[in-house]
Amino acid sequence: MFSGEYYMKQALVEARKAFDKGEVPIGAVVVCAGRIIARAHNLTETLNDVTAHAEMQAITSAASMLGGKYLLDCTIYVTVEPCPMCAAALGWSQISRVVYGAGDEKRGYLKIAPQAFHPKTKIVSGLMAQEAAGLMKQFFQSKR
Ligand SMILES: [Zn+2]
């Protein structure tokens, strides 16, 4: 029942929205029982808020949609490896599964906080990594 590519494509659509706004292009969707219950992209520039990462907003939006703070039986698809802040927030949410695309050696959670997720959370990495990484590369090249 795991057909992650469709959902990751939706996360990439979100990332592209961020890109078009001049935001670091990272997008996320939260899927619960096969349904997308939250879509979000990075908005740190728009909101003047360094915590406005795609995942943080997706968590808030999904919890509000579900009417409960825990995202049990949900999966988040995020285009780039979560940072330690988002990994910890996802840990608090007790989300069941985290699927991300491109790794982030500098700012990803694995370097600083590899234990940040809830112990029961399943992690899948590398799904459509090239697309996600390509968007990031394009963004940072355009900023130079
Ligand atoms: Zn983050």
Side-chain angles (χ1 to χ4, degrees), residues 6 19 62-63 74 77 90 95 99 107-108 113 120 122 136 141:
Y6 170 78
F19 185 97
C74 294
Y77 293 84
L90 287 163
I95 198 158
V99 181
R107 301 213 171 208
K120 284 184 183 162
K122 289 192 187 75
M136 291 289 272
Q141 276 172 352

Side-chain angles (χ1 to χ4, degrees), residues 30-31 37-39 56-71 74 95:
V30 176
V31 177
I37 61 164
R39 299 170 183 266
M56 302 296 277
Q57 297 180 82
I59 291 167
T60 303
S61 165
S64 142
M65 184 76 178
L66 290 173
K69 63 183 173 181
Y70 294 126
L71 305 181
C74 294
I95 198 158

Side-chain angles (χ1 to χ4, degrees), residues 33-144:
R35 204 161 63 97
I36 295 176
I37 61 164
R39 299 170 183 266
H41 53 270
N42 179 41
L43 283 175
T44 51
E45 300 294 332
T46 306
L47 299 178
N48 271 328
D49 181 355
V50 293
T51 71
H53 288 182
E55 301 95 311
M56 302 296 277
Q57 297 180 82
I59 291 167
T60 303
S61 165
S64 142
M65 184 76 178
L66 290 173
K69 63 183 173 181
Y70 294 126
L71 305 181
L72 300 165
D73 305 319
C74 294
T75 300
I76 187 167
Y77 293 84
V78 56
T79 57
V80 175
E81 179 187 336
C83 72
M85 170 182 72
C86 293
L90 287 163
W92 287 117
S93 80
Q94 299 188 19
I95 198 158
S96 298
R97 192 165 55 187
V98 176
V99 181
Y100 67 86
D104 183 349
E105 277 179 28
K106 280 187 198 154
R107 301 213 171 208
Y109 79 99
L110 281 173
K111 187 175 170 187
I112 310 167
Q115 312 283 328
F117 288 116
H118 193 270
K120 284 184 183 162
T121 298
K122 289 192 187 75
I123 316 289
V124 179
S125 64
L127 183 65
M128 301 182 74
Q130 279 183 334
E131 286 85 344
L135 202 54
M136 291 289 272
K137 203 173 160 195
Q138 198 186 334
F139 177 80
F140 287 110
Q141 276 172 352
S142 74
K143 290 281 155 189
R144 253 188 247 148

